Structures are given as structure tokens and as C-alpha cells.
């Protein structure tokens, strides 16, 4: 005895989230899936409804809830449906993406509950007959349940040759979504498409010319009803070719007939290079292909995107289903077999080309997926060998294939650049660098007149692989072993490919005077050099010593300087940007810039601007101003010593004059006449017609930060400066004349040794005094061990390993005396300063310096505990020596 299967009526599926209430205003997200409303018809005449939600990824059931009139359903916020299960313990909610989807399920729930109530009443009254609409619903599996009113309101005449115009008017009159749904219900319920196909056959038999044109308008209007059931019905095997036959007779092209059937048949014959044995996958591929053809060809001229929303949704759902199938671990053997084609030497180029198209199409299908899912797909494809495909696909003869392959690689790198780095290391171990994915990108980037539209994509891929911190200043971290390993491999094996475009740049002299031979580059070469300069800037900022080794071992700086010979200003700015980046990294690249003589062509560029106010002129002046402001002594000396006479001719700004002044301050003795410098500066400012008072404030502030005094001068800085300006004041320490504190003459030291020595070198900031020391020996004060012994009774304690007084002790003695209330100036070794001389020097003294904030460890109690030394009777030295916190703490403890 055979048993029949119950029939079901299913609504169209809509995307939603399922939530379960767990208490305390908290909701648990059970997942995302497709929601359908199902009506199950039993053989005995009974029926029940249920809401079914299947997971978006694995099609597992997230929710099965029977619809009952005893359940209280509620619609919230226009996109949510809330109800309580019969048990009373579970509160469930569905959250939809749009209001239309929520209204669709909400209306079905209420319609079916009303129908169930009517049936129950009829049963109680002995009326067991069912409505004609319910009988029709049992005949279709995909028909959404509707009420009797729909059939009464939305009707179409049965299609015949004589009433096609009337059908067209009825379809065009449906403007609202509700009217379209009613018409769609009528079309599915009465198998209207079958009747239209019969009329089309009749037109062909009668050789009618106007009939097929009218049927084209009717069929297109039916597709634009935007109903999921109709669209799925149209793309079935038994309908698709006949429907396309109708759509070949476009009324706007009456003299021609399209070839949609032949085109689709040709596309359908394309088979994947590796056969797929799953029939479900093959049917999904065919269905998606037909849907895509309808969207891209048949409805390409449709301006209203809302009329194609359901069609695009079906395409996206099918694409995601196919992507999830290949991403599933149970089906990844297919990917392994697919990518093996690129590793097999026996594989032909045609096979590799077809395999590349399949992989690219698979990636395009996943473009609408979420970012995390696309990143997971990228990792799956990388594990099976997608990076073995790019060396072939990026060099293929098909330009379209090269473009799509570059887009896929760019997308993968943006999702997870570590994949490219990881497989670059692995490929470098077994292949030549030029045959790897990164090597292929570098080769295609360097080639002239090849893929001009893809140069910027290649540059972005290279930049992403080199970037360690999304554009921020990031030093190479030794604990990041993967990144360090990749950079090591990159600089050892791929830098020669990166710098290959510079090989075509000829080196010609760029002198300060005389003609310069112009460097002529094609537009592609100009773009390559521009991108390359940006990549070098990135390497200099982020790759630490590796980039310095590269710049030192190649003539890269020389080649970049040759871009000054180009006529394009943006290339000159790109070259200057590289040098400015190096200067901004302190002394790490200073010697290399001097070694490769990049400043002579840079100054020539500045001179060629002829004082015009443009970006190039401003960039050159900003670089010189930065060198002066930061007082990079090696560069200041190099610029003035070699190009000072030329820089002196630039008089439209004060940058070059101030640079020379900075150089003179660096080479002058520390006890030189500060008043003379101030006078020279004032004359310079007045000569240029600038406001001296405005610049005095800036100069005073800069002087304050460059030459800070000790904390003890906080209360009376003006008095200390006035007393130190006396011509009888003598120096506490006689510094060595004619050179800076740090010796830069040893050019044999490597940059790494310089970096290590920077932390070991201790410098003392010494300000310039306001008067020159007297030439007589009696006006100089030196401290010897013998002198310390004479004043041993009240002397400040020093360390056992010190043979002279520390500079901190001398400073404290001078400041203590400067704060003395005595009206007469102190004596220094028998020399007395007269009041007239002191007043005269005070008039020439610089403006008072701003007060400096006290350190935390230098408070009032500590100052009161200090006992003035007999040395405080001597004249306070004009040298202001910063007392380091370590010395101050040691001195305080010794007391």
C-alpha cells in the first residue's frame, strides 16, 4: 500500500535574523538565514502553517515555529516580528532587512490565521467545503498564500492574438507593490506564462510580425513585476528558451532580431576545466548564468533599479551558496585539483587560462559577501595555491584576464596582506624571484608601455606588502619574526626588481651654473618614477637600517637626483620629498646625502625657480629652514662651506641669511659676544623691512629652549643676566675653541655605530655670554685641585672620582651669589666691577628669558638646605649649564 507525501505551499524566502530572549533585556542572536512561510496540506484534508528559517551558510534549521491563533504576534519598529511560544518560556523575534520583507511575512501570518479561523467556523457549522483559492494553492509548490479578494481584484484576460494590447495596458497600470503582487499571484495561479508561449507558437505558425513584438512587451512587464516565483519559473529548463525566443523581438528594433537563445546556449556549453560531479552545483551554476543574462542583457536598459531588486537578490543568494560549497572542507579537494594545473608542467596554457577564469569568477561571485567571509575564502584559496595562478594570469596574452587577475590580487592583499608575505617567503625558497607572484608584479610594474592602466594597482600591491603600519611611523620590531623575515627576503631578492626602472635614467652633471641636459621620460616612465619615489619614502620611514643599507649599497640617491632634470614639476617634488624624508630622520641618512652630493642639484632647483612663489620653491626653502631650525650641524656646515656664496644671493627670504648666522653661532667660541650677534640679527631684520619686535619674541623663545639656565635662576633671571653682562665677569670654565661638542669628522663610522654612540654621548647646553672675555690671564678663572684644597672647609662635596668641581656646583655658587641682597657687585679674585660698567652692560643685555618650570625633585626645602660656598663671592659666570637631575640628586644626597 503506497502512501502519498503531503503537499506544501511555500512563500518566497526573505533574509532575517533570529533572536531569543534570555532575560534581563538581553537577546541571543541565533543566526542569519532565509525565512519562509510554509503551509502543509495533509492527505486527510488537515493543514497547518509554520515559520521556517534556514541558516545562510549551511542551510541548517535555525527556527521551526507553528503558526497558531493562540499565539500573540506583534510587529515592532516596522522590521521586527515578536511572539511567545506556547510554552510561555520562549520569546522569539525575527528582524528583517527591510520593511517590505517584514510586511510580507506579517501579512501572510494574519491572512492565514484569518483563513484558519473561517475554516474552523465552517467545520463547526458542518461546512466542510474549501474555498476555490485554497484548492488552487494545493497545485503549486511555490505559490504564496493569498485571500480570495486578490483573485477578484487582479485579473487578466486569457491571452489571444486579438487582446494582447488589453493585456499590455493591464500590466502597465500596476504601479504599486500591492497591485504587482496581486498580478503575480494571478499569473502563477493560472499558468499564464504557458498560455503566452502557446500564443507565441501560434504567431510563428501564422508568420505574424506584430504579435511577437506585443508579446515581448508583455513578457518583459511580467518579469519586471519583481516577483521571486515568476523569475524562478522563467529560468527553468522548460521555459527559458521559449521565453528568450519572445524577448528576441524588441519593438524598438523592428528590422532586426536578437540572438538571445544562441548566446545563452553558447554560454551554457562552457564547462569548468575540472568537472563538477554534484548535480545541485551544476543546476545552480546554470540557473545563476540565466539570471545573470536576464539582468545584464535583457533588462540592461531598465532605469528603475527597484524593478530588478528581486532578480539581483536571487543572483547574490546563488553566488553565496556556490561560494560556500567550494569553501566547505568536504569539497576542498576540488580546489586542490584545480590549482594543481598551475604546478603541473604538462598543463597547457589553454588549461591554465580556463582554470584562471574559473577562479576569477569564483572570487567575483563572493564580492557581495561580508568582509570576514571573503577573507576566509582568500585564506582557503591561498592554502590550495591561488598564488601559483598569478604568475601566469598576470602575464597572459588576454588583456581582460590580466585586468581581472590584478583586481583579484589587489582585493586579497587589502583583505589580508600577510597571505602575500607568507607565500612570497615560501615561493622564494623554491623558485627564482622573478617567477613568484611578487616578482611578477614588480616586473609588470617596471615594464614600459605594458598595462598602463594597471600601474597604479601594481604600485598599491607593492606598497601594501611593504607597509608595516598603515602609513604611520613604525620601526622594525625584532619580535615580529614573520615581518622581519619577509623584509629580509624582500631586500635580498626583490629590491633589484623594485629599482629596475632607475636603470633607464642616465646620470648627467647638475651644476650650480651652466646648462642642464633635460631628462625626457614617457608618460608611463614618469608615472613609474613617481610611484617609485613614494615607495622609497615609505621604506625610509618604516624599514629602519634595511633601507639605509639599500641606499648605501646602490646609487639610488644619484638616480633620484637626476629627476631634477625633468621638465615636470611633480617629478622634481617627488625627488625632493625623498631627500626631505631622509633629513627628517635625524642623523641616520645625513652622511649618505652628503656622500652622494644631493644638495648641489637641490640648490640648483631652488635657483631655477627664480624666487617664484610656487610649490617647488617653497619645498626647497622649507628643507633649508628645517635644517637651520633643528640645527643639524653637519648639514649646516656642509651647506655654508660649499654653497654659502650662492645661498647668500637669495635675498627675497631670510632663510639663507639665518642659516649662515646659525653656522657662525656653531663655529664661534661659546663665550663670544652675544650682543654683537643680536645687533647683527637686528640689522638683518631691518634690512629686510620686517617687524623686529615680532621676531624678537620668537628669537627669545628659541634662545630659551636652546640655552636653558639652571632651575636656581627661576626667581631673578633678569638680575643674573645683568650681572653676567659685566665686562669684568670671567668664565668659570674655559671651553675648547673652534669646534662643536660632538666630533662629526670621523666619517668612517657606520650608521649603526653612530646610532649606538648617540645614546652614549652626553652634551651640555651652554648659552652665549653677552660680552667677550678679557684677553688678560688675570681675568680668567680656572679651578684646579689645589684651589679645591684651599676652600675645602666650605666646599660642596664631590664624587671621589672627580678631580675638579662639577659644573653643577659652579652654577649653584654663581646663582646663589646673584640672589644675594648685597647692593654692590661681587668680587672675583680681586677684581671689582663698578656700578657704571654694570649699568652700561645691562643696557646691552638681551631681553629677560621666560621662567622655566621647576623639576619635581627641586623644591623649596631642597634649596634652603643648600649652604652657599665661599666660591659664591666670585662673579657669576655668564655660562648657563643645565644641571642634570642625576647630578642634582647626587649633590643633594651628599649633603
Amino acid at each position: 500500500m503506497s502512501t502519498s507525501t503531503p503537499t506544501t505551499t511555500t512563500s518566497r524566502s526573505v533574509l532575517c535574523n533570529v533572536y531569543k530572549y534570555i532575560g534581563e533585556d538581553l537577546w541571543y542572536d541565533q543566526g542569519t538565514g532565509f525565512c519562509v512561510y510554509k503551509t502543509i496540506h495533509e492527505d486527510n484534508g488537515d493543514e497547518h502553517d509554520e515559520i521556517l528559517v534556514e541558516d545562510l551558510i549551511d542551510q541548517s534549521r535555525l527556527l521551526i515555529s507553528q503558526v497558531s491563533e493562540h499565539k500573540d504576534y506583534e510587529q515592532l519598529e516596522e522590521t521586527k516580528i515578536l511572539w511567545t511560544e506556547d510554552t510561555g518560556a520562549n520569546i522569539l523575534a525575527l528582524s528583517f532587512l527591510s520593511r517590505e520583507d517584514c510586511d510580507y511575512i506579517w501579512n501572510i501570518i494574519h491572512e492565514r490565521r484569518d483563513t484558519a479561523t473561517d475554516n474552523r467556523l465552517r467545520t463547526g457549522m458542518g461546512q466542510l467545503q474549501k474555498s476555490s483559492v485554497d484548492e488552487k494553492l494545493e497545485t503549486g509548490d511555490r505559490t504564496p498564500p493569498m485571500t480570495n479578494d486578490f483573485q477578484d481584484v487582479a485579473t487578466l484576460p486569457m491571452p489571444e492574438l486579438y487582446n494582447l494590447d488589453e493585456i499590455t495596458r493591464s500590466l502597465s497600470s500596476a504601479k504599486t507593490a500591492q497591485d504587482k503582487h496581486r498580478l503575480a499571484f494571478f499569473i502563477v495561479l493560472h499558468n499564464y506564462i504557458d498560455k503566452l508561449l502557446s500564443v507565441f507558437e501560434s504567431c510563428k505558425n501564422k508568420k505574424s510580425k506584430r504579435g511577437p513584438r506585443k508579446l515581448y512587451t508583455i513578457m518583459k512587464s511580467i518579469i519586471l513585476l519583481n516577483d521571486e516565483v515568476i523569475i524562478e519559473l522563467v529560468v527553468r529548463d522548460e521555459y527559458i528558451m521559449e521565453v528568450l525566443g519572445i524577448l528576441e523581438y524588441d519593438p524598438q528594433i523592428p528590422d532586426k532580431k536578437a540572438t538571445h537563445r544562441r548566446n545563452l546556449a553558447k554560454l551554457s556549453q562552457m564547462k569548468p576545466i575540472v568537472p563538477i560531479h554534484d548535480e545541485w552545483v551544476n543546476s545552480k551554476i546554470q540557473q545563476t548564468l540565466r539570471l545573470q543574462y536576464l539582468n545584464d542583457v535583457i533588462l540592461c536598459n531598465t532605469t528603475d533599479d527597484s524593478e530588478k531588486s528581486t532578480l539581483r537578490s536571487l543572483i547574490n543568494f546563488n553566488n553565496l551558496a556556490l561560494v560556500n560549497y567550494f569553501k566547505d572542507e568536504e569539497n576542498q579537494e576540488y580546489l586542490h585539483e584545480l590549482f594543481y594545473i598551475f604546478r603541473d608542467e604538462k598543463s597547457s596554457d589553454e588549461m591554465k587560462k580556463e582554470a584562471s577564469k574559473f577562479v576569477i569568477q569564483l572570487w567575483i561571485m563572493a564580492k557581495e559577501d561580508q568582509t570576514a567571509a571573503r577573507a576566509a575564502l582568500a585564506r582557503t584559496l591561498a592554502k590550495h595555491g591561488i598564488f601559483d595562478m598569478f604568475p601566469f594570469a598576470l602575464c597572459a596574452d588576454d588583456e581582460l584576464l590580466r585586468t581581472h587577475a590584478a583586481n583579484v590580487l589587489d582585493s586579497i592583499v587589502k583583505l589580508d596582506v600577510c597571505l602575500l608575505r607568507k607565500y612570497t617567503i615560501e615561493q622564494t625558497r623554491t623558485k627564482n624571484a622573478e617567477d613568484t607572484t611578487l616578482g611578477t608584479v614588480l616586473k609588470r610594474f617596471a615594464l614600459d608601455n605594458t598595462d598602463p592602466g594597471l600601474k597604479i594597482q601594481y604600485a598599491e600591491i607593492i606598497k601594501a606588502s611593504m607597509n608595516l603600519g598603515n602609513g604611520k611611523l613604525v620601526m622594525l620590531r625584532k619580535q615580529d619574526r614573520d615581518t622581519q623575515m619577509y623584509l629580509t627576503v624582500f631586500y635580498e631578492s626583490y629590491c633589484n626588481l623594485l629599482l629596475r626602472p632607475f636603470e633607464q635614467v642616465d646620470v648627467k652633471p647638475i651644476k650650480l651654473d651652466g646648462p642642464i641636459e633635460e631628462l625626457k621620460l614617457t608618460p608611463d616612465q614618469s608615472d613609474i618614477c613617481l610611484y617609485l619615489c613614494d615607495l622609497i619614502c615609505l621604506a625610509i620611514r618604516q624599514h629602519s637600517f634595511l633601507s639605509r643599507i639599500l641606499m648605501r649599497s646602490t646609487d639610488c640617491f644619484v638616480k633620484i637626483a637626476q629627476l631634477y632634470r625633468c621638465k615636470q614639476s611633480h617629478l622634481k617634488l617627488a625627488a625632493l620629498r625623498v631627500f626631505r624624508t631622509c633629513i627628517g630622520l635625524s642623523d641616520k641618512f645625513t652622511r649618505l646625502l652628503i656622500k652622494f652630493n644631493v644638495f648641489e642639484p637641490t640648490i640648483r632647483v631652488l635657483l631655477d625657480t627664480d624666487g617664484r612663489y610656487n610649490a617647488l620653491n617653497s619645498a626647497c626653502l622649507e628643507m633649508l629652514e628645517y635644517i637651520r631650525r633643528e640645527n643639524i650641524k653637519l648639514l649646516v656646515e656642509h651647506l655654508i662651506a660649499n654653497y654659502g656664496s650662492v645661498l647668500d644671493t637669495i635675498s627675497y627670504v631670510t632663510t639663507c641669511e639665518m642659516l649662515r648666522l646659525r653656522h657662525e653661532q656653531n663655529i664661534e667660541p661659546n663665550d663670544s659676544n652675544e650682543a654683537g650677534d643680536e645687533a647683527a640679527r637686528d640689522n638683518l631684520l631691518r634690512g629686510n623691512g620686517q617687524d623686529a619686535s615680532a621676531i624678537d619674541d620668537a628669537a627669545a623663545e628659541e634662545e630659551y629652549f636652546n640655552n636653558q639656565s639652571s632651575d636656581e635662576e627661576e626667581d631673578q633671571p633678569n638680575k643674573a643676566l645683568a650681572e653676567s653682562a659685566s665686562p669684568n665677569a670671567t668664565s668659570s670654565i674655559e671651553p675648547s675653541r673652534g669646534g662643536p661638542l660632538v666630533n662629526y669628522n670621523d666619517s668612517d663610522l657606520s650608521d649603526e655605530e653612530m646610532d649606538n654612540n648617540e645614546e652614549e654621548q652626553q652634551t651640555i647646553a651652554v648659552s652665549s655670554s653677552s660680552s667677550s672675555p678679557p684677553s688678560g690671564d688675570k681675568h680668567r678663572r680656572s679651578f684646579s685641585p689645589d684651589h679645591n684644597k684651599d676652600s675645602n672647609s666650605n666646599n660642596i662635596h664631590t664624587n671621589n672620582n672627580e678631580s675638579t668641581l662639577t659644573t653643577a656646583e659652579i652654577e649653584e655658587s654663581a646663582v646663589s651669589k646673584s640672589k644675594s641682597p648685597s647692593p654692590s657687585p661681587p668680587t672675583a679674585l680681586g677684581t671689582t666691577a663698578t656700578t657704571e660698567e654694570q649699568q652700561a652692560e645691562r643696557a646691552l643685555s638681551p631681553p629677560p628669558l621666560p621662567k622655566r618650570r621647576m623639576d619635581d625633585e627641586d623644591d623649596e626645602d631642597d634649596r634652603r638646605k643648600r649652604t652657599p660656598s665661599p666660591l659664591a663671592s666670585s662673579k657669576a659666570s655668564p655660562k648657563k649649564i643645565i644641571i642634570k637631575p642625576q647630578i642634582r640628586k647626587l649633590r643633594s644626597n651628599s649633603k
Side-chain angles (χ1 to χ4, degrees):
M1 182 177 179
S2 61
T3 59
S4 59
T5 304
T7 60
T8 60
T9 302
T10 308
S11 71
R12 67 181 177 93
S13 59
V14 294
L15 197 63
C16 70
N17 277 20
V18 181
Y19 294 94
K20 180 180 179 181
Y21 185 70
I22 59 177
E24 298 181 359
D25 296 333
L26 297 178
W27 293 84
Y28 174 69
D29 187 358
Q30 293 182 311
T32 303
F34 297 109
C35 174
V36 295
Y37 190 99
K38 298 181 66 175
T39 301
I40 302 176
H41 309 276
E42 302 292 346
D43 295 338
N44 57 5
D46 296 337
E47 64 180 28
H48 64 274
D49 299 349
E50 62 182 20
I51 299 175
L52 174 64
V53 181
E54 294 183 347
D55 189 84
L56 178 65
I57 304 297
D58 56 5
Q59 286 77 46
S60 62
R61 293 188 176 183
L62 298 177
L63 173 67
I64 300 178
S65 176
Q66 289 192 358
V67 179
S68 172
E69 57 183 293
H70 302 293
K71 296 181 181 179
D72 187 14
Y73 293 88
E74 183 179 0
Q75 187 177 17
L76 300 176
E77 300 178 3
E78 298 182 349
T79 58
K80 298 178 179 62
I81 297 177
L82 179 70
W83 74 94
T84 304
E85 286 296 303
D86 294 334
T87 59
N90 294 332
I91 301 177
L92 301 176
L94 299 179
S95 177
F96 299 89
L97 295 179
S98 64
R99 178 180 178 180
E100 290 76 10
D101 293 342
C102 183
D103 290 342
Y104 176 70
I105 299 296
W106 175 256
N107 292 333
I108 294 177
I109 292 174
H110 278 272
E111 290 163 7
R112 291 302 302 167
R113 291 179 66 189
D114 294 342
T115 302
T117 302
D118 293 342
N119 290 339
R120 184 173 55 84
L121 292 176
R122 292 185 187 127
T123 302
M125 297 172 59
Q127 299 177 352
L128 301 177
Q129 68 275 18
K130 301 180 67 176
S131 64
S132 59
V133 175
D134 292 334
E135 294 175 356
K136 296 293 185 180
L137 286 176
E138 294 179 358
T139 61
D141 292 338
R142 300 288 295 178
T143 305
M146 300 292 179
T147 62
N148 294 336
D149 295 338
F150 285 9
Q151 186 177 6
D152 297 335
V153 175
T155 60
L156 291 173
M158 290 298 106
E160 298 292 343
L161 281 175
Y162 64 86
N163 62 357
L164 296 181
D165 292 333
E166 182 182 355
I167 298 173
T168 302
R169 288 192 297 270
S170 299
L171 290 171
S172 60
S173 63
K175 301 299 184 181
T176 64
Q178 187 177 11
D179 293 340
K180 291 182 179 180
H181 285 316
R182 290 174 178 175
L183 284 175
F185 170 76
F186 179 85
I187 291 171
V188 175
L189 187 64
H190 293 277
N191 295 326
Y192 207 77
I193 295 179
D194 290 335
K195 295 179 175 58
L196 290 174
L197 296 179
S198 300
V199 176
F200 178 66
E201 289 294 333
S202 177
C203 292
K204 290 194 297 182
N205 295 333
K206 296 180 180 181
K207 297 182 180 180
S208 174
K209 294 182 179 180
R210 298 182 60 185
R213 309 289 176 182
K214 296 178 180 179
L215 288 172
Y216 172 93
T217 304
I218 294 173
M219 186 59 67
K220 188 173 181 179
S221 299
I222 290 175
I223 296 175
L224 290 178
L225 289 176
N226 205 25
D227 185 78
E228 180 182 356
V229 178
I230 291 179
I231 295 175
E232 290 183 347
L233 184 65
V234 164
V235 297
R236 287 182 180 178
D237 295 338
E238 58 268 26
Y239 290 114
I240 182 62
M241 286 303 175
E242 294 297 328
V243 171
L244 290 180
I246 295 176
L247 295 173
E248 289 179 347
Y249 295 89
D250 191 348
Q252 297 181 357
I253 312 175
D255 299 334
K256 294 183 180 181
K257 177 184 174 182
T259 57
H260 296 318
R261 287 176 288 185
R262 186 174 61 187
N263 296 340
L264 184 61
K266 185 178 180 180
L267 292 174
S268 301
Q269 292 175 357
M270 298 176 59
K271 303 296 181 181
I273 189 65
V274 178
I276 300 175
H277 302 292
D278 194 322
E279 291 299 329
W280 179 85
V281 176
N282 290 325
S283 63
K284 277 292 182 183
I285 292 175
Q286 292 297 324
Q287 186 187 51
T288 306
L289 184 63
R290 296 165 185 174
L291 292 171
Q292 197 72 49
Y293 190 85
L294 286 177
N295 184 73
D296 297 342
V297 180
I298 304 299
L299 305 178
C300 62
N301 295 326
T302 303
T303 57
D304 190 357
D305 291 337
S306 63
E307 295 180 343
K308 301 191 298 182
S309 60
T310 300
L311 180 60
R312 289 197 301 268
S313 298
L314 290 174
I315 294 173
N316 293 335
F317 292 155
N318 286 356
N319 287 339
L320 294 181
L322 291 172
V323 170
N324 292 330
Y325 173 84
F326 290 107
K327 195 167 58 176
D328 191 359
E329 294 183 359
E330 297 179 358
N331 304 316
Q332 290 184 9
E333 183 63 28
Y334 181 87
L335 296 178
H336 179 76
E337 186 177 354
L338 178 67
F339 288 116
Y340 180 74
I341 296 176
F342 300 101
R343 296 188 291 268
D344 189 5
E345 298 179 356
K346 298 180 181 179
S347 300
S348 62
D349 290 345
E350 189 64 27
M351 294 177 61
K352 294 180 180 180
K353 185 176 180 180
E354 294 299 324
S356 300
K357 291 181 178 179
F358 183 87
V359 176
I360 291 172
Q361 185 62 37
L362 181 63
W363 184 261
I364 293 175
M365 290 165 59
K367 67 179 181 180
E368 298 296 335
D369 206 349
Q370 297 180 356
T371 303
R374 295 174 65 219
L377 176 62
R379 289 191 291 269
T380 300
L381 296 178
K383 180 176 66 175
H384 291 283
I386 191 175
F387 287 102
D388 294 328
M389 179 196 75
F390 292 115
F392 169 81
L394 294 176
C395 301
D397 297 334
D398 190 350
E399 181 179 357
L400 185 60
L401 180 61
R402 294 198 304 269
T403 302
H404 284 310
N407 291 335
V408 173
L409 179 58
D410 187 33
S411 301
I412 293 176
V413 169
K414 289 179 179 178
L415 286 172
D416 192 354
V417 69
C418 294
L419 293 176
L420 176 61
R421 295 174 181 174
K422 175 182 177 181
Y423 286 95
T424 297
I425 297 173
E426 294 182 0
Q427 289 179 335
T428 308
R429 295 170 181 171
T430 58
K431 297 181 180 179
N432 187 11
E434 296 187 2
D435 298 331
T436 63
T437 297
L438 182 60
T440 304
V441 171
L442 291 170
K443 286 192 305 181
R444 305 298 294 183
F445 171 75
L447 290 178
D448 188 18
N449 297 324
T450 303
D451 299 334
L454 298 179
K455 296 297 183 184
I456 187 171
Q457 264 188 320
Y458 293 144
E460 290 298 324
I461 293 171
I462 299 170
K463 181 179 179 180
S465 68
M466 298 171 59
N467 195 348
L468 304 183
N470 297 324
K472 298 179 181 179
L473 182 61
V474 177
M475 305 305 294
L476 178 59
R477 297 172 296 176
K478 293 184 178 180
Q479 62 270 23
D480 193 350
R481 299 184 58 185
D482 294 338
T483 303
Q484 185 182 19
M485 184 180 299
Y486 170 75
L487 290 180
T488 302
V489 171
F490 180 84
Y491 277 89
E492 289 179 355
S493 304
Y494 295 96
C495 274
N496 57 335
L497 298 177
L498 177 65
L499 301 179
R500 182 174 292 178
F502 282 154
E503 295 178 358
Q504 58 190 354
V505 178
D506 298 331
V507 178
K508 301 293 182 180
I510 305 178
K511 300 297 183 181
L512 294 179
D513 54 358
I516 298 177
E517 182 179 349
E518 181 183 348
L519 177 62
K520 296 182 179 181
L521 299 175
T522 64
D524 287 344
Q525 291 174 338
S526 299
D527 293 340
I528 293 173
C529 292
L530 179 63
Y531 299 145
L532 194 52
C533 287
D534 292 339
L535 294 175
I536 292 174
C537 286
L538 177 67
I540 291 173
R541 287 196 304 267
Q542 296 193 8
H543 296 173
S544 186
F545 65 92
L546 291 175
S547 59
R548 293 204 300 273
I549 295 174
L550 176 65
M551 297 296 107
R552 187 189 305 118
S553 59
T554 62
D555 59 347
C556 185
F557 279 154
V558 177
K559 296 289 188 177
I560 294 175
Q562 292 299 309
L563 297 180
Y564 286 144
R565 296 164 44 211
C566 295
K567 194 173 183 179
Q568 299 90 335
S569 296
H570 68 278
L571 290 179
K572 297 179 182 179
L573 286 170
L576 183 61
R577 189 159 54 246
V578 175
F579 301 142
R580 176 63 178 83
T581 303
C582 296
I583 294 174
L585 295 179
S586 185
D587 297 332
K588 295 180 179 180
F589 287 88
T590 301
R591 295 177 180 274
L592 292 178
L593 296 176
I594 296 176
K595 174 184 177 182
F596 290 104
N597 191 27
V598 302
F599 289 102
E600 183 176 5
T602 302
I603 295 175
R604 176 58 188 268
V605 170
L606 176 60
L607 296 175
D608 289 343
T609 59
D610 198 19
R612 291 188 295 271
Y613 189 73
N614 52 32
L616 193 58
N617 178 270
S618 299
C620 294
L621 292 176
E622 189 277 335
M623 184 183 70
L624 296 178
E625 176 63 22
Y626 180 83
I627 295 174
R628 183 201 70 81
R629 184 175 66 251
E630 299 298 325
N631 196 16
I632 307 177
K633 295 185 178 180
L634 192 60
L635 294 184
V636 172
E637 180 182 0
H638 174 74
L639 290 173
I640 298 301
N642 293 278
Y643 317 109
S645 59
V646 178
L647 294 176
D648 290 340
T649 61
I650 301 176
S651 58
Y652 52 88
V653 291
T654 62
T655 302
C656 298
E657 288 86 346
M658 298 297 288
L659 183 65
R660 177 173 287 280
L661 181 61
R662 175 69 73 186
H663 174 65
E664 294 175 355
Q665 292 174 350
N666 291 339
I667 64 175
E668 284 180 355
N670 291 327
D671 55 352
S672 60
N673 192 338
E674 188 180 35
D677 292 341
E678 292 293 329
R681 185 177 65 86
D682 293 339
N683 293 333
L684 176 62
L685 297 177
R686 294 190 187 98
N688 288 276
Q690 299 186 18
D691 187 1
S693 62
I695 302 183
D696 281 341
D697 296 338
E701 182 178 357
E702 182 177 356
E703 183 74 12
Y704 166 68
F705 285 109
N706 289 339
N707 307 304
Q708 289 187 12
S709 64
S710 62
D711 291 340
E712 285 78 0
E713 294 180 336
E714 222 173 32
D715 297 331
Q716 296 180 353
N718 296 338
K719 184 176 180 180
L721 287 174
E723 293 180 356
S724 64
S726 175
N728 295 325
T730 57
S731 174
S732 301
I733 299 177
E734 182 66 25
S736 58
R737 297 175 178 268
L741 294 177
V742 182
N743 184 15
Y744 291 94
N745 295 329
D746 188 6
S747 60
D748 294 333
L749 289 176
S750 64
D751 291 338
E752 290 77 5
E753 294 173 341
M754 290 177 57
D755 296 339
N756 296 332
N757 292 338
E758 286 176 0
E759 299 180 357
E760 299 176 359
Q761 294 172 350
Q762 302 293 335
T763 59
I764 302 177
V766 181
S767 64
S768 301
S769 63
S770 41
S771 61
S772 301
S775 57
D777 292 338
K778 65 180 181 178
H779 295 292
R780 288 189 187 155
R781 233 174 108 195
S782 61
F783 297 95
S784 62
D786 295 336
H787 183 79
N788 291 338
K789 294 177 181 179
D790 295 337
S791 58
N792 189 32
S793 59
N794 295 315
N795 193 14
I796 300 175
H797 295 285
T798 61
N799 295 331
N800 295 332
N801 55 350
E802 292 180 348
S803 59
T804 61
L805 287 177
T806 63
T807 57
E809 296 167 345
I810 300 170
E811 176 65 12
E812 183 189 47
S813 301
V815 175
S816 300
K817 187 59 182 175
S818 66
K819 297 181 180 180
S820 175
S822 176
S824 61
T827 59
L829 297 180
T831 304
T832 304
T834 63
T835 305
E836 293 78 5
E837 291 173 343
Q838 180 179 351
Q839 293 176 352
E841 289 298 324
R842 183 182 293 110
L844 297 176
S845 63
L849 299 178
K851 287 188 176 183
R852 182 173 153 224
R853 185 175 62 84
M854 293 174 55
D855 292 334
D856 295 337
E857 56 199 35
D858 194 11
D859 53 10
E860 293 292 338
D861 295 337
D862 187 32
R863 287 203 301 270
R864 284 195 296 267
K865 291 179 181 179
R866 296 176 188 148
T867 303
S869 171
L871 296 177
S873 60
S874 62
K875 178 65 179 174
S877 172
K879 288 184 173 55
K880 303 161 188 69
I881 304 173
I882 297 176
I883 303 176
K884 296 186 176 296
Q886 297 87 346
I887 299 176
R888 187 185 300 112
K889 185 175 181 180
L890 180 63
R891 180 194 62 202
S892 178
N893 294 336
S894 64
K895 292 182 179 182

